[in-house]
Amino acid sequence: MSFSLAHALTGLFWLGALLLLGGLARRASLWQQGRSASVSWLGLLAMPKRYFVDIHHVVAREPAVARAHVAAAGGGVAILLLSALNYGLMLYQGWLDVLLVLMAALMLLGARMMQARRLQAPPRLSQGRWQVLPARLRLFALGSLLAAGLLFAGPQLGMAGQLIAVVALLMLALGGAELALGIGLGWPMKHAVAGLLHLAFHPRAERFAAKSSDLKPLNLAAGELGVAKVEDFAWNRLLSFDACVQCGKCEAACPAYAAGQPLNPKKLIQDMVAAQSRGTDPAYAGNPHPGREAAVMVQPGEDIVGSVLAAETLWSCTTCRACVENCPMLIEHVDTVVNLRRHVTLSRGEVPGKGSEALANLRNTDTVGGYPLAVRYHWAIDLDLPLLQPGEQTEWLLLAGEGAFDMRYQRALRALVKVLKAAGVKVAVLGAAERDCGDVARRLGDEAGFQRLAQANIATLAQYRFARIVTPDPHVFHCLANEYPALGGQFEVWHHSKLLEHLLARRAIPLKADATPLPPLTFHDPCYLGRYNDGYHAPRNVLKGIGIKVVEMPRSGRDARCCGWGGGAAFTDIPGQRRIPDMRMDDIRETGTGRVAVACPNCTAMLEGVVGERADVIELAELVAERLA
Amino acid sequence: MDFSTQAIPRIDPRRPWVLGPSGLKRIVLGDDSGSRDAALLAHGPAHKPLRSSGPFSQRLLVVAHAERGQLDDAAREAIAAAAILAGKDGEVLALLYGMQDAAPEALAELAVDRALTVADPGYAPEQKLALLQQLLQQESPHTVLFADRGEDADLGRRLACRTRLSVVTDVVEIAADGVRRRQPGAGFSLRERAQLLLLARGVAEAKLPFVGKGERLQTTALSAISEQVQDLGSAASPASELALEEADLIVSAGNGVSNVPGFLALAEALGAAVGASRVAVDDGRFSRDKQVGATGKTVQASAYIALGISGAVQHLQGIKSCRHVIAVNLDAAAPMIKRADLSIIDDCQSFISAFEALVRRERKEKQQ
Amino acid sequence: MKIAVLVAPAVHPVSGRPCAGEADLAALALAQRLSSQVDVWYAGAADDAALADYLARGADNIHSLSLSPGSDVLAALCSVLQGVDMVLCGARAGGGDGSGLLPYQLAEQLGRALLPDVLDLSKSDQQWQALQALPKGVRRTLAAKLPLVASVHARAASAVGWSYARLQQGKIQRKAATGAALPQVVLEPARRARALVAASKVSGHARMQGAIAGGEGKSAGIVVKQGDSVEKAQVVLDYLRQHQLVDF
Ligand SMILES: Cc1cc2nc3c(=O)[nH]c(=O)nc-3n(C[C@H](O)[C@H](O)[C@H](O)COP(=O)(O)OP(=O)(O)OC[C@H]3O[C@@H](n4cnc5c(N)ncnc54)[C@H](O)[C@@H]3O)c2cc1C
Ligand code: SF4
Ligand code: SF4
């Protein structure tokens, strides 16, 4: 009998392995629908580091879940490896059985922890097959435990032993099916295989080396116009969707979802899975896009937007990257959103709300709001701000950005110039030669518009001589620092928070001597400074430098909630239950400080647009200017 | 406007007034005779001298359509332009549709020397062209002037094309060296003065210090003329259904308007289109297509009445090109008050009901 | 039914760059709704880039009759529009001359009925009915037989959104043409237009009064705080009447 149990295990192992391979082949054929992408096979070697370091960074934010996963996944992988040795290769070593029993116990523990968590599952978690997965894993672990235990106990099995062996085999078969069939049938355990491959062939592999948040340029000359159909995604992008574990961390972080706009990033990723699998996967059992039916119909060959995905879903995204930052599977939602938008904008020309007007303004006037370029620096008329002439030299070139047209934000700009002057910084501006940086165009999917503006700006900037660029607009900062290099524009760009921090640290800014403590306030992180560029410390150091205590909101720094402006969302203005800035103002109110410091013209406008009792919104530069001696 | 000279006029707003010699309204203390109707301009022709008693050696013709027997500002400006250009020996002729009932004094007050007044046949371009051509032959004016809007603009263009007379449209300035019109992208384009001039608003000051002779002109009746295009009738769509972008009069509600049915009743009484601020839209008080502002509609109404709207920049962006803004707000420091031409510091709810009652009453009086 | 749509670049009011004219776009969109045989024509001296917006907003193909600057486009257009059932153009072009004369000239020259400022066109029996936009939201229904010329109101229909792909695929076919020279115009920088004002014999004091009270220069707004709501309502009504903003 023991002979037959061991052989049965060998048979079961190879059967499972075959099924897994077959399933993988089927899934790979789905990924193959996508475009080719240049990937490095060395990624396979980098996989362990990416798994243990990069994923760990994200997962460790929830220690209990991390521990459960380590136990279940670690135990599971160990069981598979040991089984491969002991039964697959038919070594049938007793000491391996012992190890197996230990690993099975570990996995059992992990699965048990997971199951316990599922009892009070947060609403962001998907139900359906995901809900029963821990139980299945327990079966598998228990089956392994029993089988290995029986084998170790000896060749002689009594009636009871035989019965247990049969039960153990059944358990193994049932539990193992999750993995063996999962990849092929799109069951939850698909994530294990797809997730590992995703780590190896990540579409943004550079993120494993350093911060990477730039959108990649389209090759317009080659006819690239974004993603219309599944086939237009790169194959490894399709693979990345299959890595999703439907944990809903993105859903919980998404400001648009919280505002009741029809976007749930988790569902968005699952929509992409449904599109590539043509709906053959088990039905989605998580929260829908708010206000939309959960079920979607998928017609093969159809455009994604309009069939699987409603356009409003796409346009609700503020590109705040909160989802990306929180995704344990390192999925890049924003890339997908923008890729899909590119098709809708470039090919169909269907940008909703005032988005199309903003794009038309950019085409016609090189400003988002349709202003004459000549008035951009009117607010500085009495500030004696030098206009840089081609060939002249300056230390700092100030790019005011679109905020220069906003009467409110002009106050902040004036404050900034005052502070820089007081600190003796040599700064000049371009005047009418400054065009929009192209941020809004690019996030709204108008890649052609972005590239036109970027190239024009790069050509303009090349005519001037300056050491560095400083801008108070994080969007200008991000575009110039991170996205212009791909188009050939290499500039050293600083956000004004960094320059102010630098000047304060060098005591270059003459501050008032009086020691009256300033009332504390809270700080709202701009997405394009914070999550996009890890610029969390500079603004806080500036506030500290002028003696203001920051009372942090629960959602701050990496978890800061977007103000709702980004990605052109203020222009497309997709209706929801609430407005994102109203929610952010609630966050601010909760700190009880009654004042919020901001470091972005758009955050300023969005937060000041909140109606009713609201906190004072003050720009960083204004706060420093107030403290000038 | 008489009360613009002081910031807070201490006047009884319902007090009657009379027109002074310079065309200004005057309130005479203790006097209760007079008029409240701005449209009645029959006062004072006796005060004004005759522009020219002739004899005339040349003439200008002004063609205008009246609405309900009244010429609008654009048409008055066209006549004023003719009167100013005419000179001592020049006569101001007018072809006026829809003013057959006008008294000679009214014509004189308009500074017209001789007018052919005919009932407006409605849409009948061929018939009107025939009459005009007959008039041109009979009187041979050296210049024909039209206001460049509505029916007059249409007829002027038709006449230009039919008779091949030289024409300049959208004239914003008539000067000794020629006529100017705006050139998109440039400033002005200067052209020679043409035989036909279609005049933009503001080309001449309609208030004149003189009167015309106000005589009537006769022509022989025309035989029936067939039209190429048939008129199947017109209909005015209710203002409330009018697209905001097209509306000429808009009442707009903000967060300060809590009585929405009352507000809508006012809009209906006034015949005004309905707008709203984003807050009022977000609250579900109005549908999204009513939103005015940066993320809503951009409107071009002649009059925009903002009720309980604070006037955030994003809202003001939508009303940049409104000619008259009237604000009603409890808060005299609201930004909307700075933008408004007339501001009423009052509670919206009581103002709305008072205004609605007044409008309904006055409308009824007018109809009787 | 063959429809010809006439388009011309407008001048952007802020930047002065060429862009599409709203009314011309509406004409294009209306034509595409009415027929599948739509030809788009341009006559004038503008280069292809100035017509880009029309390609991006739905014109697959533009026939461009190239004339030297300052020539009359009428003859060139008439010669190609002879056999076309329906000619649509924007009621007003947004650039160049922008006089709104072209539809009238075409109708006269081609001997056709003209339907001005149409918001909609529909066929009934043998005739085409046009909904004409008149001021203050009044709508008039006009009817005429083919062939006809219609000038289209800017709000008649909205063209498809601006698309880079359509711009890339769209084609402009140039053909040389000639036209009579237009009278010379002199361009001048912008300033306030001077209104004709009658020389007045009234006293200086009265003129001062007039200048303060009325005139073009916008005085600061009036703020009314006193009185009850009824009185304030009267102030508003008086204001509306004084500026002829209401008709009662
Ligand atoms: C990106 C962005 C885009 C936006 N786009 C738009 C837009 O397109 N359109 C738009 O309107 N807004 C827009 N906003 C919002 C805008 O900033 C303001 O929040 C909004 O216009 C305020 O609306 P409100 O004036 O009705 O409300 P409030 O600001 O609440 O003002 C209400 C006003 O009513 C007065 N009031 C209150 N009660 C009474 C009463 N009983 N009688 C008389 N007066 C009373 C108050 O004094 C106050 O002045 C946008 C904001 C942002 C950030
Ligand atoms: S996309 Fe990432 S964060 Fe969102 S549900 Fe999937 S795995 Fe979780
Ligand atoms: S980028 Fe921000 S708004 Fe967009 S899906 Fe992610 S969390 Fe939501």
Side-chain angles (χ1 to χ4, degrees), chain B residues 172-173 180-190, chain C residues 186-194:
Chain B
V172 293
E173 189 176 294
R180 288 186 173 77
R181 62 196 300 276
R182 288 198 199 289
Q183 186 76 10
F188 291 116
S189 67
L190 173 67
Chain C
V186 182
L187 295 186
E188 292 176 352
R191 56 167 166 78
R192 249 186 107 96
R194 281 185 280 268

Tab-separated table of all heavy atoms in Angstrom, chain B residues 172-173 180-190, chain C residues 186-194:
chain	number	residue	atom	x	y	z
B	172	VAL	N	-17.387	99.139	-37.857
B	172	VAL	CA	-17.336	99.617	-36.476
B	172	VAL	C	-16.974	101.088	-36.404
B	172	VAL	O	-17.133	101.719	-35.368
B	172	VAL	CB	-16.334	98.811	-35.614
B	172	VAL	CG1	-16.814	97.393	-35.429
B	172	VAL	CG2	-14.950	98.840	-36.223
B	173	GLU	N	-16.459	101.631	-37.487
B	173	GLU	CA	-16.085	103.035	-37.451
B	173	GLU	C	-16.231	103.639	-38.838
B	173	GLU	O	-15.759	103.073	-39.820
B	173	GLU	CB	-14.630	103.171	-36.965
B	173	GLU	CG	-14.236	104.596	-36.684
B	173	GLU	CD	-12.820	104.681	-36.122
B	173	GLU	OE1	-12.599	104.191	-35.000
B	173	GLU	OE2	-11.949	105.223	-36.823
B	180	ARG	N	-14.017	101.337	-41.114
B	180	ARG	CA	-13.191	100.303	-40.489
B	180	ARG	C	-14.066	99.168	-40.009
B	180	ARG	O	-15.163	99.387	-39.501
B	180	ARG	CB	-12.425	100.896	-39.314
B	180	ARG	CG	-11.318	101.812	-39.753
B	180	ARG	CD	-10.479	102.281	-38.588
B	180	ARG	NE	-9.332	103.038	-39.093
B	180	ARG	CZ	-9.427	104.288	-39.535
B	180	ARG	NH1	-10.592	104.920	-39.503
B	180	ARG	NH2	-8.354	104.910	-40.011
B	181	ARG	N	-13.544	97.979	-40.183
B	181	ARG	CA	-14.168	96.818	-39.561
B	181	ARG	C	-13.067	96.059	-38.852
B	181	ARG	O	-11.890	96.271	-39.098
B	181	ARG	CB	-14.891	95.950	-40.578
B	181	ARG	CG	-14.020	95.342	-41.659
B	181	ARG	CD	-14.856	94.842	-42.806
B	181	ARG	NE	-15.804	93.827	-42.383
B	181	ARG	CZ	-15.526	92.533	-42.252
B	181	ARG	NH1	-14.310	92.097	-42.512
B	181	ARG	NH2	-16.431	91.667	-41.861
B	182	ARG	N	-13.491	95.187	-37.937
B	182	ARG	CA	-12.471	94.445	-37.214
B	182	ARG	C	-11.921	93.346	-38.099
B	182	ARG	O	-12.655	92.721	-38.846
B	182	ARG	CB	-13.055	93.838	-35.947
B	182	ARG	CG	-13.321	94.887	-34.948
B	182	ARG	CD	-13.492	94.360	-33.553
B	182	ARG	NE	-14.173	95.363	-32.749
B	182	ARG	CZ	-13.607	96.499	-32.363
B	182	ARG	NH1	-12.350	96.764	-32.669
B	182	ARG	NH2	-14.300	97.377	-31.662
B	183	GLN	N	-10.645	93.141	-37.991
B	183	GLN	CA	-10.011	92.093	-38.767
B	183	GLN	C	-9.540	91.047	-37.778
B	183	GLN	O	-8.693	91.339	-36.942
B	183	GLN	CB	-8.824	92.677	-39.531
B	183	GLN	CG	-8.173	91.724	-40.491
B	183	GLN	CD	-9.011	91.548	-41.744
B	183	GLN	OE1	-9.969	92.276	-41.961
B	183	GLN	NE2	-8.674	90.554	-42.547
B	184	PRO	N	-10.107	89.839	-37.840
B	184	PRO	CA	-9.683	88.835	-36.866
B	184	PRO	C	-8.166	88.674	-36.917
B	184	PRO	O	-7.594	88.591	-37.997
B	184	PRO	CB	-10.375	87.554	-37.332
B	184	PRO	CG	-11.411	87.979	-38.306
B	184	PRO	CD	-11.044	89.329	-38.820
B	185	GLY	N	-7.551	88.699	-35.766
B	185	GLY	CA	-6.108	88.489	-35.740
B	185	GLY	C	-5.322	89.774	-35.896
B	185	GLY	O	-4.244	89.909	-35.351
B	186	ALA	N	-5.852	90.726	-36.665
B	186	ALA	CA	-5.189	92.029	-36.729
B	186	ALA	C	-6.048	92.968	-35.897
B	186	ALA	O	-6.804	92.530	-35.044
B	186	ALA	CB	-5.093	92.496	-38.170
B	187	GLY	N	-6.005	94.227	-36.119
B	187	GLY	CA	-6.882	95.143	-35.392
B	187	GLY	C	-8.049	95.501	-36.280
B	187	GLY	O	-9.086	94.846	-36.291
B	188	PHE	N	-7.847	96.543	-37.073
B	188	PHE	CA	-8.879	96.983	-37.995
B	188	PHE	C	-8.429	96.749	-39.416
B	188	PHE	O	-7.235	96.688	-39.703
B	188	PHE	CB	-9.090	98.488	-37.853
B	188	PHE	CG	-9.720	98.881	-36.560
B	188	PHE	CD1	-9.033	99.654	-35.647
B	188	PHE	CD2	-11.018	98.486	-36.269
B	188	PHE	CE1	-9.622	100.023	-34.457
B	188	PHE	CE2	-11.600	98.861	-35.079
B	188	PHE	CZ	-10.914	99.622	-34.171
B	189	SER	N	-9.412	96.654	-40.305
B	189	SER	CA	-9.074	96.835	-41.706
B	189	SER	C	-9.818	98.073	-42.179
B	189	SER	O	-10.988	98.265	-41.869
B	189	SER	CB	-9.434	95.605	-42.529
B	189	SER	OG	-10.817	95.438	-42.578
B	190	LEU	N	-9.095	98.895	-42.881
B	190	LEU	CA	-9.650	100.162	-43.367
B	190	LEU	C	-9.991	99.998	-44.835
B	190	LEU	O	-9.181	99.511	-45.619
B	190	LEU	CB	-8.601	101.264	-43.174
B	190	LEU	CG	-8.924	102.632	-43.768
B	190	LEU	CD1	-10.085	103.274	-43.046
B	190	LEU	CD2	-7.693	103.537	-43.686
C	186	VAL	N	-6.389	98.273	-45.810
C	186	VAL	CA	-5.225	98.655	-45.014
C	186	VAL	C	-5.427	98.099	-43.615
C	186	VAL	O	-6.488	98.303	-43.019
C	186	VAL	CB	-5.100	100.188	-44.949
C	186	VAL	CG1	-3.856	100.580	-44.157
C	186	VAL	CG2	-5.067	100.769	-46.354
C	187	LEU	N	-4.467	97.360	-43.104
C	187	LEU	CA	-4.606	96.815	-41.751
C	187	LEU	C	-4.019	97.788	-40.744
C	187	LEU	O	-2.979	98.394	-40.976
C	187	LEU	CB	-3.905	95.463	-41.658
C	187	LEU	CG	-4.516	94.363	-42.519
C	187	LEU	CD1	-3.836	93.034	-42.233
C	187	LEU	CD2	-6.013	94.250	-42.271
C	188	GLU	N	-4.711	97.899	-39.628
C	188	GLU	CA	-4.263	98.817	-38.573
C	188	GLU	C	-4.295	98.092	-37.248
C	188	GLU	O	-5.094	97.196	-37.064
C	188	GLU	CB	-5.218	100.019	-38.486
C	188	GLU	CG	-5.175	100.931	-39.684
C	188	GLU	CD	-6.217	102.041	-39.560
C	188	GLU	OE1	-7.039	101.973	-38.629
C	188	GLU	OE2	-6.182	102.947	-40.394
C	189	PRO	N	-3.453	98.502	-36.317
C	189	PRO	CA	-3.495	97.863	-34.996
C	189	PRO	C	-4.810	98.140	-34.270
C	189	PRO	O	-5.502	99.119	-34.568
C	189	PRO	CB	-2.318	98.500	-34.257
C	189	PRO	CG	-1.990	99.735	-35.014
C	189	PRO	CD	-2.399	99.512	-36.420
C	190	ALA	N	-5.114	97.257	-33.335
C	190	ALA	CA	-6.375	97.388	-32.613
C	190	ALA	C	-6.373	98.607	-31.705
C	190	ALA	O	-5.341	99.000	-31.180
C	190	ALA	CB	-6.616	96.129	-31.786
C	191	ARG	N	-7.517	99.188	-31.569
C	191	ARG	CA	-7.727	100.258	-30.591
C	191	ARG	C	-9.234	100.333	-30.393
C	191	ARG	O	-9.981	99.565	-30.983
C	191	ARG	CB	-7.169	101.588	-31.109
C	191	ARG	CG	-7.758	101.995	-32.458
C	191	ARG	CD	-7.446	103.445	-32.805
C	191	ARG	NE	-7.729	103.721	-34.203
C	191	ARG	CZ	-8.954	103.924	-34.686
C	191	ARG	NH1	-10.020	103.854	-33.900
C	191	ARG	NH2	-9.145	104.166	-35.975
C	192	ARG	N	-9.680	101.244	-29.575
C	192	ARG	CA	-11.111	101.444	-29.407
C	192	ARG	C	-11.660	102.109	-30.645
C	192	ARG	O	-11.076	103.067	-31.138
C	192	ARG	CB	-11.346	102.363	-28.217
C	192	ARG	CG	-11.977	101.700	-27.039
C	192	ARG	CD	-12.267	102.767	-26.006
C	192	ARG	NE	-13.688	103.029	-25.955
C	192	ARG	CZ	-14.482	102.460	-25.066
C	192	ARG	NH1	-13.995	101.608	-24.209
C	192	ARG	NH2	-15.766	102.719	-25.047
C	193	ALA	N	-12.797	101.599	-31.121
C	193	ALA	CA	-13.417	102.247	-32.271
C	193	ALA	C	-14.051	103.556	-31.820
C	193	ALA	O	-14.564	103.653	-30.713
C	193	ALA	CB	-14.472	101.326	-32.874
C	194	ARG	N	-13.973	104.556	-32.695
C	194	ARG	CA	-14.577	105.846	-32.358
C	194	ARG	C	-15.975	105.915	-32.952
C	194	ARG	O	-16.159	105.769	-34.154
C	194	ARG	CB	-13.719	106.980	-32.909
C	194	ARG	CG	-12.489	107.262	-32.053
C	194	ARG	CD	-11.740	108.471	-32.586
C	194	ARG	NE	-10.904	108.108	-33.730
C	194	ARG	CZ	-9.625	107.734	-33.603
C	194	ARG	NH1	-9.051	107.672	-32.426
C	194	ARG	NH2	-8.928	107.430	-34.670
